[in-house]
Amino acid sequence: MRVGSFVCSCADTCDIDLEGVREGIEDVDVAASSSLLCADGLPAMEQVIDEYDLDQLIVTCPESRSQQKIERVAEQQGLHPDAVSFVDQRERAGWVHDEAGATAKTARMVNARYAGLESESVSRTVSRDAGERVAVVADPETAAALADDADVTLLADGEEYVDAAADLDDVTIERGRVIDVDGRFGEFTVRLESRVTEECISCMKCVHEGPDGMVTRYPVDIDPDAPDGAWTDVCPTDAIEMDGTERTLEFDQVIYPAATRATRGGRIGFYTAPIDAATISAVRKHLGGVEKPDHLDLAMDVCAAGDSSQAGCNECVEACPHDAVERARIDEVEFHKEACQNCGACTSACPTGATMLREPSNERLAREVEALLRPTDDEGGWLLNRSGSDIDAAIVAFVCSEEADDALAEYGRLAAAGKAAVEYPPILPVRVNCTDTVGEAHAMHALACGADGIAIVGCGGDCRHSGPDPKTALVDRLNRATTDLALGERIGFFAPDPDEPAQFVDELSTFAVELEDSPIPVGDHEATGEIDADRDNPAFDSHGWTLESVRAILEHVEPDREVIRGLKDFGRMQVAEGCTLTPTCSNLCPTDAIRRNEQDAVLEFNHEKCVNCGLCEEGCVEDVIEMRDGLDRSLLPENRDGDDPAWIEVFDGEMRECRHCGKPFTSEGSAQKIQAEVGDLVAGIAPSAQGNIFEYCGDCRAQLLSDRGD
């Protein structure tokens, strides 16, 4: 890949030094600049593309019309339009930072984009078939609008449609009030409750005799608050059921304007207010099925959801705000990729890498962070020379690509137009689909790369995925971990409101000023996303990537605490007396972090491999296992001696030796437990045995029973 970068100052309205940006850009085959690239600079761009035989362009240009011009030039030079990637040097840099900060930030954003492109995933699609059954709840206009394209059912929900203005001739109308919507795209079920059964013939007797305003004519139904009385006996078909009757209908899509956000849960094919032309278009588009990008890579062979009817890790199910993951069985989770909204919640929550976001992948995010923080010359560059740095505090900002990103762009426009005084520290942006994408592994990696702080910039209460304060718990956990790592608190969550730039500026500026310089040098760490332990997990899984990063941090700090709290993907095992050394826990463990040494009657635990899924604790038949959160430095192999330092002894039992051959054959605890439970039932079964039959191994016991038969 031959890459050229093109930098523009947007007619010198951006407060950046073009030469300084060019000097800070790394790795590309050529870096060029222009004060007005989309006009006077286009002929020069053509010459550069041709001279250097470029096949990929990184251009600083946020304006859509100008982007189209540049894409046309690229096409004319034989490049695919997708081979042009754009970076915003204007709204997010030159219009909101001073010149030094904007110049440094722009160069690093170009470097990060180049690094990200090298790790970009190939696109894939996923499809799901569906029918044309559409339920519309109490919205006759929408039902009528869809009637020509779909099999539409209008659920009355207590309303009457005798005088409806909408044309409902091709719409099926069903009585009943909606009490529940379950399922997903292509297989929704709507539960209705009514006081009139399907035996109703619409004779109007109940309408005539019933309380005024409490019995609808079309469809016939009775208000739940209507009083009982003799009038209910007028029905000739006994269709009135004052205690209520329920029925369930099936649909492929549901339009329910009055439903709450929690009821919808982000499910594809489920629409709530406001219902507009875009909603109608979306419903029509999904008739017959859906084809969409495949957002996830799944490696279910390393999933820690459970085994042998034991429930284990449930992180992805609990994290997903769109019902795209469900626990199909007690020991299995199932992903519905067609319902995935690409927020990354399941991927940041998964400790094993069983589910990974395809784009941006964890590896891509890692490379972008490393590029943003990398020094630009042998003398240390802008970021290593912190005392005279163009960026006083190196803050990596994971920015939501939805409302938060738009708010930052609006701040830039307000500043450029003179509508507001907006200038904030030049945070180093890493664009994520949603802040749900960000987990402990991303934060620890950024710190290992030398970031002074981490800003998680999201939508706050407006997030369509996670709702209000989506990352509060994560920020609290991470700051507990960084404090235990002797780094102090270095993580913050920020929700920029486009109408309140001053608040964001104040909060971010305060955060930046209070950060101390990190003791970890920038540019030294490049992640592999793996650890040396023998594992089958994919690279950049949360557990392995986090541990790799923490180890890099520990090379530069000396924490007072052995246990680093706040890191949920690490477990510490304690085993109480009463363990019988049954193989249950070792068989259940999905990461092979538990093993039984039958020869010595010892149970051993590998902290480096444990992802804290809880399966061993859940499945322990003696209920003697307790798992605790936190990364214990003293349990890591590099801090221990011995031939096999990764393994620690968590229980030391005693083996029972066969009375006849002397071979150890089971733990003393197991033998005593079995003897106590069934000893009376088998007493005297082998008269020739000296002692009881539980003192013999399987082979010798079989021989005793065989001798008895002879």
Side-chain angles (χ1 to χ4, degrees), residues 192-464:
L192 301 171
E193 184 178 52
S194 174
R195 272 127 187 94
V196 176
T197 72
E198 294 306 284
E199 301 299 321
C200 174
I201 59 173
S202 301
C203 67
M204 298 294 128
K205 284 192 174 183
C206 62
V207 177
H208 184 270
E209 300 292 337
D212 289 343
M214 287 195 161
V215 185
T216 57
R217 289 178 288 163
Y218 182 58
V220 175
D221 203 359
I222 299 171
D223 193 297
D225 294 328
D228 204 345
W231 67 273
T232 63
D233 296 330
V234 301
C235 179
T237 60
D238 293 327
I240 295 176
E241 181 58 68
M242 294 301 286
D243 290 334
T245 180
E246 291 186 7
R247 69 190 191 284
T248 299
L249 304 179
E250 297 180 350
F251 301 97
D252 297 290
Q253 299 185 70
V254 175
I255 301 175
Y256 191 175
T260 65
R261 177 178 182 167
T263 301
R264 179 175 63 84
R267 286 175 280 183
I268 187 173
F270 192 159
Y271 312 89
T272 57
I275 305 300
D276 52 22
T279 308
I280 303 297
S281 176
V283 173
R284 287 173 175 154
K285 180 180 177 181
H286 291 150
L287 293 174
V290 62
E291 182 173 356
K292 57 184 293 188
D294 184 357
H295 300 304
L296 300 175
D297 277 331
L298 302 180
M300 303 312 293
D301 54 326
V302 300
C303 179
D307 197 10
S308 303
S309 298
Q310 297 292 333
C313 177
N314 204 47
E315 294 287 344
C316 58
V317 179
E318 295 174 359
C320 179
H322 301 296
D323 291 332
V325 195
E326 67 171 339
R327 187 167 279 279
R329 298 199 304 266
I330 193 172
D331 54 3
E332 181 185 355
V333 296
E334 182 178 353
F335 285 80
H336 301 277
K337 287 188 174 185
E338 77 285 348
C340 176
Q341 299 296 300
N342 204 24
C343 69
C346 63
T347 65
S348 61
C350 176
T352 66
T355 173
M356 303 278 273
L357 202 61
R358 287 184 51 75
E359 188 59 32
S361 65
N362 281 347
E363 182 176 4
R364 175 171 184 161
L365 294 176
R367 300 300 173 240
E368 290 185 2
V369 168
E370 291 160 6
L372 285 168
L373 292 169
R374 189 180 302 126
T376 58
D377 54 49
D378 295 337
E379 287 72 39
W382 292 322
L383 291 180
L384 272 183
N385 183 19
R386 296 180 189 274
S387 60
S389 173
D390 293 325
I391 297 180
D392 294 328
I395 300 173
V396 170
F398 293 100
V399 182
C400 164
S401 63
E402 297 177 354
E403 283 94 338
D405 195 44
D406 291 341
L408 296 184
E410 176 62 12
Y411 291 168
R413 290 188 288 267
L414 289 171
K419 301 295 185 181
V422 184
E423 184 174 332
Y424 55 88
I427 53 178
L428 303 172
V430 180
R431 202 166 184 263
V432 293
N433 302 341
C434 170
T435 53
D436 280 347
T437 301
V438 184
E440 61 189 48
H442 303 85
M444 289 297 119
H445 169 255
L447 293 172
C449 292
D452 293 320
I454 296 163
I456 303 175
V457 185
C459 306
D462 292 330
C463 178
R464 71 184 182 92

Side-chain angles (χ1 to χ4, degrees), residues 29-76:
D29 295 280
V30 60
S33 62
S34 169
S35 63
L36 194 56
L37 187 63
C38 62
D40 299 342
L42 290 179
M45 176 184 280
E46 293 177 354
Q47 293 177 9
V48 172
I49 294 172
D50 183 59
E51 180 180 351
Y52 287 87
D53 194 22
L54 301 178
D55 50 31
Q56 178 78 49
L57 310 182
I58 302 175
V59 185
T60 63
C61 176
E63 178 63 35
S64 60
R65 291 182 183 274
S66 298
Q67 289 178 355
Q68 291 171 7
K69 291 182 182 179
I70 293 168
E71 287 172 341
R72 282 197 294 269
V73 167
E75 231 177 331
Q76 291 166 3

Side-chain angles (χ1 to χ4, degrees), residues 514-526:
E514 292 178 350
L515 286 173
E516 296 183 0
D517 290 348
S518 172
I520 303 164
V522 292
D524 281 5
H525 180 62
E526 183 174 324

